[in-house]
Amino acid sequence: MSGFTRNQLIHGGDYNPEQWLDSPEILEQDIAFFKKAKINEVSLGIFSWAMLEPEEGKFDFGWMEDIVNRLYENGINVIMATPSGARPKWLADKYPEVLRVAPDRRRNLFGGRHNHCYSSPVYREKVGIINRKLAERFGSYPGVLGWHISNEIGGECHCDYCQDAFRGWLRERYGTIEELNRAWATTFWSHRYQSFEQIESPSPIGECDLHGLKLDWRRFVTDQTVDFVKVEVQALRDGGSALPITTNMMYFYGGLNYHKFAEVIDTASWDNYPLWHKQPEPETAAEVAVYYDIMRGICRKPFLLMESCPSSTNWQSVSKLKKPGMLLAASLQAVAHGSDSVQYFQMRQSRGANEKFHGAVIDHYGGEDTRVFREVTQVGEALEILSELTGSGVKAQAAVIYDWESRWAMEDAQGPRNKGLYYHEAVTKIHKGFRRIGLNVDMPDMEQDLEGYAVVAVPMGYMFRKGFGEKLKKYVEQGGYLILTYWSGIVDDTDLCFLGGTPHELMDVCGVRSAEIDGLYDWETNSGAAVPGNSLGMTGEYRCRNLCDLVQLRGAEEVLRYGSDFYAGQPALTAHSYGKGMAYYVCADFEEDFYNDLCRKVSEAAGVKSLWVNLPEGVELSTRQDEKAEYLFIQNFNPSAVEWDEVPEQWQQIYGEVSEKLPGFGTKVYKRAL
Ligand code: GLA
Ligand code: ZN
């Protein structure tokens, strides 16, 4: 269970009644509209601090209480936010320390949002006070489902408080300055430190090339932010609320390791704003699927789609309308991947300021006779039909490792291709390869366990965090099928290169040693052609670009060989059996077709069972299940209909058009008893 649901899929989103307090008739009208659109939740208070505490210590929660009550009387629940995402002017004026200091050591002026220091004792205190009061007032209201901490937490601060906290964090991690010097390789360019007091956060006007420092700074920023969230949560608990906690996240946001938030939240939630219709829709759907699977992996249970746009998004370079049917398909994709909600930003469009042209369920016209309102209502109807699957989980046979810390380290490094390593693309291609054969995919980080997966892929696992190499070795030894790619197992936890050959700890598992890696110019390509009779049954020839790893065989079989350059004829894909399992080493950044074939062949070899191996292009298959039933989502992200074979008998269709076809942007959902 996500903890937030009351046995129904949540349908709602961000609502800002504080912008309409002078128009009570509008608020009344909104409630009537919400009911029509089958909205059963709104998220309140996200940016309401100035209205909740107009002056320091003077609280006005009455307006909020009236609204919460009116909503509840009408069957609409509330996810209540803490207001720390944006602060009132009085707070910044009286306590300038709450404002953020940029990497160049300049303190920001008041403005925007997210503009605060996570370490500032005053900010923590003020947030603590209002959170506690909110919890006292609303923390056990019948219609309140849980807490939404702050909003899209992110960014960093370089003030003196943060510097002090960083030094303390380093002292704890390294114990002695000698150990830190060793871990960061500070002898390079004579950057050795004599004491922790000398250390400064990375800055464009100071130290910005020391990778160990940068990596630890990012880890610290995550830990400090998690610590700030802890303070927020504690205040809610002190106020007597035991309700579940979430915080809304953003995609692959590079500033925080989201996995670390699992210790302070009950449920992960995220905000999804894909650029639909910019490229063929199936491409976008496949990219979004990766994010969903990452979000589900954070708390390893159903998550919430906290925000999505019902219409066009005004901060993107072009505000594209969603074509008819897109909203429904996109919304059900979230549910198919394990979301227990479909929520929007925003319920009612604001009249002024930055987001006045951002799509909303109710726009400035203010009526229900709009295309968007009708489509939102269709989503509401679908969620009501599907409500029985609330809380069901997703079982995956395949896992693709996605690790923030490794990504940070890899992106910071100079070489082997500063023009672009294409990590994200590598992850997506492998994920897509498994999805193409109808598999659910989990996306754990290097710390999570790998038990139960028939296939594990590690695309560009540059940094092997402590124990990860060993974990993969055990996984293969015990019968797992591993796909490891180029640029893996290169450095340790503090970004020091492993000595003695790479992939570290896995040369014997993979039966290869990576000897050299060639960076390719943008216009260069190479290829990999199948070695006749290879054990994996690969037959094609595939293009590769960007990076080509030249490996020395140490017992592995050659499956593909390079087609050109001075390494023509050398291995480009290898296979090696180890213990009870198999390890495949992908030497180069291959095109999508390669991964489609590789994932299919390796899954077959691993004995993976999938429901439909030959999915039509652009069709996604996902399943959710609980103890009683399994649910199958078949989604067509093509704008036009595709032929669809009948589903086997034990599956009963519970949602969607009954026909031999899958309509354009159409979804069908089936169920079978377990
Ligand atoms: C983010 C924020 C929202 C809003 C939307 C607009 O996701 O969390 O407050 O600004 O973007 O798309
Ligand atoms: Zn600070």
Side-chain angles (χ1 to χ4, degrees):
M1 280 289 193
S2 73
F4 282 77
T5 56
R6 304 259 159 101
N7 294 323
Q8 61 176 359
L9 294 171
I10 294 172
H11 186 217
D14 287 23
Y15 185 43
N16 300 302
E18 69 274 16
Q19 294 173 16
W20 301 93
L21 293 180
D22 56 358
S23 316
E25 68 295 346
I26 287 195
L27 298 178
E28 240 356 80
Q29 177 71 83
D30 285 348
I31 291 179
F33 285 154
F34 293 162
K35 287 169 78 173
K36 284 205 170 143
K38 300 185 179 299
I39 297 291
N40 56 31
E41 176 270 354
V42 297
S43 309
L44 282 184
I46 299 169
F47 295 113
S48 307
W49 198 338
M51 300 299 278
L52 293 169
E53 190 181 359
E55 281 174 54
E56 184 172 12
K58 289 210 171 125
F59 296 90
D60 177 7
F61 291 178
W63 62 268
M64 177 89 107
E65 190 158 14
D66 289 346
I67 287 163
V68 175
N69 285 334
R70 284 295 294 139
L71 289 163
Y72 184 62
E73 286 157 20
N74 285 280
I76 300 164
N77 295 317
V78 165
I79 292 181
M80 184 70 75
T82 65
S84 63
R87 66 230 39 82
K89 180 87 165 93
W90 60 256
L91 180 63
D93 286 355
K94 180 153 180 207
Y95 308 102
E97 69 165 67
V98 306
L99 294 173
R100 215 164 256 189
V101 171
D104 66 2
R105 309 308 193 246
R106 264 194 325 179
R107 194 178 288 281
N108 291 352
L109 299 177
F110 174 79
R113 46 183 177 171
H114 312 298
N115 178 10
H116 59 269
C117 169
Y118 291 115
S119 307
S120 152
V122 169
Y123 198 58
R124 288 176 171 221
E125 181 195 328
K126 295 293 170 190
V127 169
I129 292 171
I130 192 157
N131 283 13
R132 187 166 43 74
K133 288 192 178 289
L134 283 168
E136 283 164 2
R137 189 75 161 255
F138 299 108
S140 30
Y141 252 62
V144 178
L145 300 175
W147 296 101
H148 173 300
I149 299 289
S150 202
N151 189 68
E152 294 191 339
I153 289 178
E156 53 189 53
C157 173
H158 298 256
C159 76
D160 291 344
Y161 287 122
C162 289
Q163 302 291 348
D164 271 356
F166 181 43
R167 290 172 197 133
W169 185 94
L170 290 169
R171 203 175 274 120
E172 189 142 308
R173 188 175 176 89
Y174 294 107
T176 64
I177 200 68
E178 292 74 35
E179 181 50 21
L180 176 140
N181 280 314
R182 188 202 61 80
W184 289 1
T186 54
T187 308
F188 181 79
W189 286 352
S190 262
H191 285 204
R192 292 179 66 82
Y193 296 98
Q194 281 90 45
S195 74
F196 286 98
E197 282 65 44
Q198 295 173 317
I199 297 172
E200 283 272 345
S201 63
S203 167
I205 55 166
E207 190 72 272
C208 57
D209 287 320
L210 194 55
H211 295 153
L213 164 72
K214 287 172 82 175
L215 180 60
D216 277 339
W217 170 251
R218 289 180 202 253
R219 287 179 172 137
F220 161 77
V221 169
T222 292
D223 286 357
Q224 193 71 350
T225 308
V226 168
D227 190 61
F228 178 83
V229 173
K230 259 187 206 155
V231 169
E232 288 223 33
V233 173
Q234 192 52 51
L236 296 172
R237 300 300 182 226
D238 292 346
S241 179
L243 291 172
I245 307 277
T246 188
T247 187
N248 53 334
M249 304 179 183
M250 306 169 272
Y251 286 78
F252 272 8
Y253 172 63
L256 295 168
N257 176 1
Y258 282 150
H259 283 280
K260 289 255 180 160
F261 285 75
E263 61 174 283
V264 282
I265 58 175
D266 299 291
T267 297
S269 63
W270 81 292
D271 303 343
N272 181 26
Y273 294 97
L275 298 168
W276 291 111
H277 315 304
K278 188 175 180 185
Q279 56 181 353
E281 290 79 6
E283 293 292 315
T284 307
E287 286 164 14
V288 174
V290 176
Y291 299 117
Y292 280 130
D293 291 344
I294 287 183
M295 289 301 154
R296 191 182 64 248
I298 289 172
C299 293
R300 299 196 121 179
K301 59 179 183 185
F303 57 91
L304 302 177
L305 172 62
M306 189 56 82
E307 293 180 24
S308 61
C309 183
S311 172
S312 70
T313 305
N314 77 324
W315 50 263
Q316 291 167 346
S317 60
V318 170
S319 303
K320 191 84 199 146
L321 291 177
K322 284 195 174 67
K323 297 191 193 299
M326 193 73 255
L327 178 67
L328 182 60
S331 301
L332 294 182
Q333 189 187 16
V335 180
H337 282 263
S339 177
D340 274 351
S341 77
V342 173
Q343 290 159 275
Y344 310 108
F345 182 89
Q346 49 196 337
M347 301 309 295
R348 176 178 273 279
Q349 203 165 31
S350 57
R351 257 196 107 170
N354 192 278
E355 290 176 333
K356 58 184 176 293
F357 298 125
H358 193 290
V361 175
I362 303 162
D363 64 15
H364 296 143
Y365 158 65
E368 61 189 286
D369 52 340
T370 64
R371 185 178 71 93
V372 172
F373 192 88
R374 277 192 298 274
E375 297 207 18
V376 165
T377 309
Q378 279 173 13
V379 175
E381 286 160 357
L383 296 181
E384 270 190 11
I385 294 169
L386 297 175
S387 224
E388 65 173 85
L389 57 74
T390 312
S392 59
V394 171
K395 268 205 177 158
Q397 299 175 81
V400 176
I401 304 292
Y402 180 81
D403 193 276
W404 257 271
E405 295 196 6
S406 174
R407 166 186 159 197
W408 288 337
M410 179 164 59
E411 287 172 354
D412 249 359
Q414 295 281 301
R417 208 173 180 280
N418 301 334
K419 291 199 73 187
L421 291 165
Y422 298 100
Y423 174 55
H424 185 96
E425 287 75 3
V427 169
T428 307
K429 280 187 278 190
I430 296 190
H431 182 273
K432 238 172 152 174
F434 290 124
R435 295 287 297 149
R436 289 286 297 131
I437 50 169
L439 298 183
N440 293 331
V441 182
D442 277 350
M443 303 203 64
D445 71 354
M446 291 184 187
E447 290 197 332
Q448 292 176 355
D449 64 49
L450 303 176
E451 254 164 64
Y453 296 117
V455 193
V456 171
V458 184
M460 303 180 81
Y462 169 74
M463 186 174 77
F464 273 11
R465 294 170 61 188
K466 221 177 186 58
F468 185 61
E470 192 54 38
K471 191 185 325 194
L472 290 178
K473 189 175 201 150
K474 270 215 188 91
Y475 168 75
V476 180
E477 216 164 58
Q478 291 168 0
Y481 279 60
L482 169 69
I483 299 175
L484 185 72
T485 82
Y486 57 95
W487 212 229
S488 288
I490 308 290
V491 301
D492 71 7
D493 265 311
T494 64
D495 205 29
L496 291 181
C497 292
F498 289 121
L499 304 179
T502 65
H504 181 67
E505 286 183 319
L506 297 179
M507 289 180 289
D508 53 342
V509 175
C510 296
V512 297
R513 177 176 86 80
S514 159
E516 296 181 84
I517 189 158
D518 192 18
L520 274 58
Y521 290 107
D522 285 348
W523 58 89
E524 286 185 297
T525 60
N526 204 318
S527 62
V531 175
N534 66 77
S535 65
L536 199 54
M538 296 281 276
T539 51
E541 180 168 352
Y542 308 92
R543 217 159 46 138
C544 56
R545 42 197 335 146
N546 301 320
L547 290 171
C548 291
D549 193 348
L550 315 188
V551 302
Q552 197 185 72
L553 291 174
R554 293 189 168 188
E557 172 200 341
E558 296 172 81
V559 180
L560 299 185
R561 290 194 183 116
Y562 284 119
S564 59
D565 214 321
F566 72 90
Y567 39 93
Q570 292 188 28
L573 168 69
T574 63
H576 188 236
S577 79
Y578 182 84
K580 294 186 193 146
M582 286 294 295
Y584 302 90
Y585 189 82
V586 178
C587 304
D589 181 357
F590 278 106
E591 61 184 321
E592 209 173 297
D593 281 350
F594 164 83
Y595 284 107
N596 288 343
D597 290 349
L598 179 75
C599 292
R600 180 183 295 260
K601 298 280 184 197
V602 172
S603 302
E604 272 167 21
V608 168
K609 298 261 172 303
S610 82
L611 285 168
W612 275 272
V613 207
N614 294 311
L615 288 171
E617 198 80 38
V619 170
E620 283 220 2
L621 191 146
S622 316
T623 60
R624 289 180 69 160
Q625 69 186 75
D626 55 26
E627 319 78 62
K628 287 181 267 142
E630 186 175 8
Y631 300 90
L632 165 67
F633 285 71
I634 301 166
Q635 295 203 275
N636 176 18
F637 286 98
N638 298 291
S640 47
V642 297
E643 298 295 329
W644 179 252
D645 297 335
E646 261 184 52
V647 179
E649 261 167 30
Q650 72 267 36
W651 291 96
Q652 172 209 346
Q653 188 172 353
I654 58 168
Y655 176 79
E657 192 178 292
V658 181
S659 68
E660 304 277 286
K661 285 186 188 300
L662 274 174
F665 298 148
T667 300
K668 294 185 180 187
V669 184
Y670 298 80
K671 174 185 177 180
R672 73 171 167 196
L674 287 179

